[in-house]
């Protein structure tokens, strides 16, 4: 356990919780692309607004690090955690944007399974961030995120197998692969968040 001689700036915990709450909102917005009747142009605007709000939170964290003498844990870990959280939102926004830009109609059947993994991982991340204050009860979080990421990988491989089965035209394959790759990157970024939390917890124990 570390000993500190100065008060620690605790607002970082609130900012990380805020950043994770943006992810829950973003994942719920992304899930709406599964509705064939959704207005994707309007959804794209909502997603961009959500991404901008997440960026603002990330900027707050970076600014706070740069102006704080004693941080609750290593500055490098704070930067890494903030960056990974931001990456998740960026990839979610990219996914929605590509679906709109490519004017994609029907999405692969396994896409819904990927979105479900993403939503669950975002929710777990939002629940875990407040526990950074005490560093307690976090192990189950990163273990479950790792399990979900593996589940997402399996769905991703099934999507690729479907795309390259000959059922799609070449141009459709390229477009859809871009979309599912972005979603896969979002899930991978959530695993990076969990890995960083694990590293922080180990250092602080």
């Amino acid at each position: 356990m570390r000993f500190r001689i100065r008060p620690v700036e605790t607002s970082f915990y609130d900012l990380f919780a805020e950043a994770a709450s943006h992810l829950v909102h973003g994942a719920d917005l992304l899930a709406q692309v599964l509705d064939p009747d959704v207005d994707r142009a309007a959804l794209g605007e909502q997603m961009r607004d959500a991404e901008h709000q997440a960026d603002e939170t990330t900027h707050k964290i970076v600014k706070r690090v740069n102006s704080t003498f004693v941080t609750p844990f290593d500055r490098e870990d704070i930067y890494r955690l903030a960056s990974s959280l931001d990456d998740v939102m960026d990839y979610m926004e990219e996914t929605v944007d590509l679906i709109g830009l490519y004017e994609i109609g029907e999405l692969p059947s396994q896409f819904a399974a990927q979105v479900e993994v993403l939503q669950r991982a975002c929710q777990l991340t939002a629940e875990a961030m407040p526990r950074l204050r005490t560093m307690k009860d976090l192990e189950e979080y990163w273990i479950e995120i790792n399990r979900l990421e593996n589940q997402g990988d399996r769905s991703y491989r099934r999507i690729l197998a479907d795309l390259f089965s000959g059922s799609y035209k070449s141009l459709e394959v390229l477009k859809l692969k871009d979309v599912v790759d972005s979603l896969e990157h979002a899930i991978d970024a959530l695993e990076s968040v969990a890995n960083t939390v694990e590293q922080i917890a180990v250092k602080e124990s």
Side-chain angles (χ1 to χ4, degrees):
M1 180 66 67
R2 295 185 174 189
F3 294 94
R4 299 183 173 97
I5 60 174
R6 292 172 182 262
V8 175
E9 173 58 71
T10 60
S11 61
F12 287 102
Y13 301 120
D14 295 329
L15 288 171
F16 282 127
E18 181 180 306
S21 71
H22 291 312
L23 300 189
V24 174
H25 178 54
D28 288 345
L29 287 175
L30 190 152
Q32 293 182 37
V33 301
L34 300 171
D35 181 354
D37 297 323
V38 73
D39 183 339
R40 286 182 173 172
L43 180 61
E45 286 295 329
Q46 293 178 60
M47 197 70 198
R48 278 187 286 277
D49 288 342
E51 193 270 335
H52 290 156
Q53 292 174 25
D55 278 345
E56 289 178 6
T57 300
T58 302
H59 294 155
K60 288 180 190 176
I61 294 171
V62 173
K63 184 177 180 181
R64 191 62 52 87
V65 173
N66 294 336
S67 62
T68 301
F69 183 71
V70 180
T71 55
F73 38 87
D74 288 349
R75 293 172 188 274
E76 293 79 8
D77 290 329
I78 292 176
Y79 285 127
R80 188 179 301 112
L81 183 55
S83 177
S84 295
L85 288 164
D86 191 57
D87 285 345
V88 178
M89 180 61 82
D90 286 345
Y91 285 125
M92 289 195 293
E93 191 275 330
E94 180 180 272
T95 301
V96 173
D97 192 39
L98 287 174
I99 290 172
L101 289 173
Y102 288 163
E103 298 181 345
I104 291 174
E106 186 177 354
L107 291 158
S109 58
Q110 283 291 328
F111 191 82
Q114 283 286 78
V115 172
E116 184 177 343
V117 166
L118 179 75
Q119 286 183 289
R120 179 58 180 156
C122 285
Q123 184 61 49
L124 287 173
T125 299
E127 293 170 3
M129 288 300 104
R131 299 203 293 274
L132 287 172
R133 287 181 181 271
T134 61
M135 295 295 168
K136 293 180 179 179
D137 302 320
L138 283 167
E139 184 174 1
E140 290 184 2
Y141 160 65
W142 62 69
I143 289 174
E144 179 62 10
I145 291 295
N146 182 259
R147 187 194 69 79
L148 286 169
E149 197 274 336
N150 289 334
Q151 180 180 328
D153 281 345
R154 290 191 292 272
S155 294
Y156 174 68
R157 290 193 291 269
R158 292 190 190 101
I159 293 173
L160 291 185
D162 184 35
L163 289 181
F164 292 105
S165 66
S167 302
Y168 295 86
K169 296 179 180 179
S170 298
L171 187 57
E172 288 179 315
V173 170
L174 293 175
K175 291 179 178 180
L176 288 169
K177 187 175 184 302
D178 272 356
V179 170
V180 297
D181 280 351
S182 290
L183 186 56
E184 175 69 5
H185 292 329
I187 296 171
D188 288 344
L190 280 162
E191 185 181 37
S192 294
V193 171
N195 289 342
T196 301
V197 169
E198 180 179 8
Q199 291 168 13
I200 292 169
V202 169
K203 289 180 182 179
E204 295 294 312
S205 62

